Amino acid sequence: MLVYTLHIFNRSGTCMYYREWSRPVPNSDLKSNNKLMFGFLFSLKQLVAKISPRKGGGFYACSTNVFKLNYFETPSGHRFILCTDLSAGDMREPLRHIYSHIFVECLVKNPLWRPNEEITNANFVQSIEKYITSL
Amino acid sequence: MAAAPHKEVAETCFSYLQMELVELVIGSDVSSVSTVELQRASRKIEAVGFQVGQRLAERYTKDTPRFAETIDVIKFICKDFWFEIYRKQIDRLQTNNRGVFMLQDNRNRLLARCSPSLERRGNAKQVAALYARFPAGLIRGALSCFNVTASVSIEVGELPSCEFTVKVQESK
């Protein structure tokens, strides 16, 4: 399985963290692409809620013929998006791991990090790197 | 009384409270804080630790016999006192036998999690040292509870570890 990119958005739609691995086509305009990504997720969430035959639930992945987008949203509104190739299985568990074991441990419990600021903390970056390569 | 259940408190809650204490004392803008302000902040945090340490020491020794020597007090702090607070003991204790003790804690819970973002890398070490000020105050408070007057200085080396140097003043 190949991992292409990882995005972390906060509740208000700011991209707090972006990292890409083995992405064949470079991301040309990062800022507007992030905006598009968040807008897409936002609308998709609403659409899914509207057309769902039953209450509750939400989407957790969608794919094209080229890549798969895996989505995880926390109760606090942080959104974790992992783009992988099509061979990826269910990525909800890895994404939950990133949130509960890396995000919470390295940032929320880190005295030198403020909520909602851009993530550049070495500890976090290294842990993400290590975990993604282990996938 | 012997079978009283062990009371517990959430570790995260304790950590967050201490983080906010530091925050409160240095004010909002951490990146541009001056050396004088840092010193003032560290004195305040130490004073808080002192008060807490004094009371805690009283509470944790309510069932132990009196200490004969200063070294016994120090040993108590390294073992039981530290364990009650941090669920671990002090990793290394050294002394020159003339009233100076070096207590080394290799994995302080809060310091282990300090990892600065790029913009804060500049004064990260000084700010991190503030988080070690509280335990330093705890030590001084506990010592004073047992009638040992001492000064405690700290040194933060490689980040998760820090060293407390206790200088006992001869006044007994």
Side-chain angles (χ1 to χ4, degrees):
Chain A
M1 180 191 78
L2 278 174
V3 174
Y4 296 129
T5 58
L6 171 71
H7 288 79
I8 301 176
F9 289 100
N10 69 4
R11 196 168 38 205
S12 54
T14 320
C15 184
M16 296 163 69
Y17 184 72
Y18 172 75
R19 173 88 173 81
E20 56 182 58
W21 295 264
S22 56
R23 194 190 142 99
V25 184
N27 200 340
S28 52
D29 184 355
L30 202 58
K31 218 169 172 188
S32 70
N33 282 357
N34 284 347
K35 224 172 185 172
L36 271 175
M37 166 82 91
F38 189 80
F40 163 72
L41 294 169
F42 188 85
S43 329
L44 189 58
K45 193 182 161 188
Q46 285 196 321
L47 173 75
V48 167
K50 286 240 169 72
I51 63 171
S52 168
R54 267 192 278 159
K55 271 208 151 45
F59 84 102
Y60 51 86
C62 56
S63 48
T64 70
N65 57 350
V66 177
F67 76 103
K68 183 176 170 204
L69 180 149
N70 302 275
Y71 177 77
F72 175 73
E73 186 178 332
T74 71
S76 55
H78 286 104
R79 287 151 213 243
F80 293 74
I81 297 103
L82 193 69
C83 290
T84 60
D85 68 355
L86 290 170
S87 66
D90 187 351
M91 297 300 282
R92 274 178 294 177
E93 225 13 79
L95 281 169
R96 181 183 295 279
H97 179 95
I98 290 178
Y99 172 59
S100 64
H101 287 84
I102 305 180
F103 188 85
V104 172
E105 289 298 321
C106 298
L107 295 175
V108 181
K109 292 186 178 178
N110 179 349
L112 301 179
W113 181 76
R114 300 286 166 281
N116 291 329
E117 79 179 7
E118 203 193 335
I119 304 168
T120 46
N121 308 57
N123 200 349
F124 177 83
V125 175
Q126 280 160 13
S127 306
I128 285 281
E129 203 73 15
K130 212 165 123 194
Y131 183 67
I132 294 291
T133 39
S134 78
L135 279 178
Chain B
M1 195 57 210
H6 201 91
K7 287 180 196 153
E8 290 183 355
V9 62
E11 182 215 334
T12 336
C13 189
F14 173 56
S15 304
Y16 290 167
L17 187 63
Q18 205 188 322
M19 274 157 65
E20 283 315 304
L21 169 71
V22 172
E23 198 84 339
L24 183 74
V25 172
I26 46 178
S28 53
D29 201 6
V30 192
S31 44
S32 65
V33 70
S34 69
T35 326
V36 185
E37 279 176 284
L38 275 174
Q39 276 171 352
R40 191 182 52 86
S42 73
R43 269 201 304 276
K44 275 193 178 168
I45 296 165
E46 215 253 358
V48 174
F50 179 83
Q51 295 287 349
V52 177
Q54 209 172 17
R55 284 158 200 263
L56 276 180
E58 199 83 66
R59 186 201 166 310
Y60 291 147
T61 48
K62 65 185 167 71
D63 299 321
T64 44
R66 267 191 291 165
F67 299 111
E69 304 268 348
T70 309
I71 182 73
D72 299 323
V73 176
I74 299 279
K75 275 184 184 158
F76 164 78
I77 289 174
C78 292
K79 287 184 181 153
D80 306 298
F81 188 68
W82 220 248
F83 186 80
E84 287 287 353
I85 300 170
Y86 292 106
R87 294 286 140 209
K88 72 183 281 300
Q89 298 183 352
I90 286 280
D91 295 294
R92 206 155 69 117
L93 169 64
Q94 281 179 305
T95 175
N96 69 349
N97 291 321
R98 261 184 253 113
V100 178
F101 302 90
M102 315 248 269
L103 284 65
Q104 199 178 329
D105 189 353
N106 287 336
R107 226 189 131 66
N108 183 288
R109 285 256 165 93
L110 265 182
L111 288 182
R113 295 216 171 90
C114 279
S115 176
S117 57
L118 284 175
E119 61 200 89
R120 294 219 183 82
R121 200 150 285 173
N123 65 352
K125 217 162 192 178
Q126 287 97 305
V127 176
L130 286 179
Y131 294 94
R133 268 289 153 193
F134 182 77
L138 284 179
I139 296 176
R140 203 166 66 83
L143 286 169
S144 103
C145 177
F146 307 124
N147 202 17
V148 178
T149 317
S151 66
V152 179
S153 59
I154 50 169
E155 200 174 312
V156 178
E158 285 290 300
L159 246 187
S161 83
C162 63
E163 199 171 77
F164 306 97
T165 307
V166 180
K167 285 203 184 85
V168 176
Q169 278 149 28
E170 301 294 331
S171 64
K172 287 213 282 186

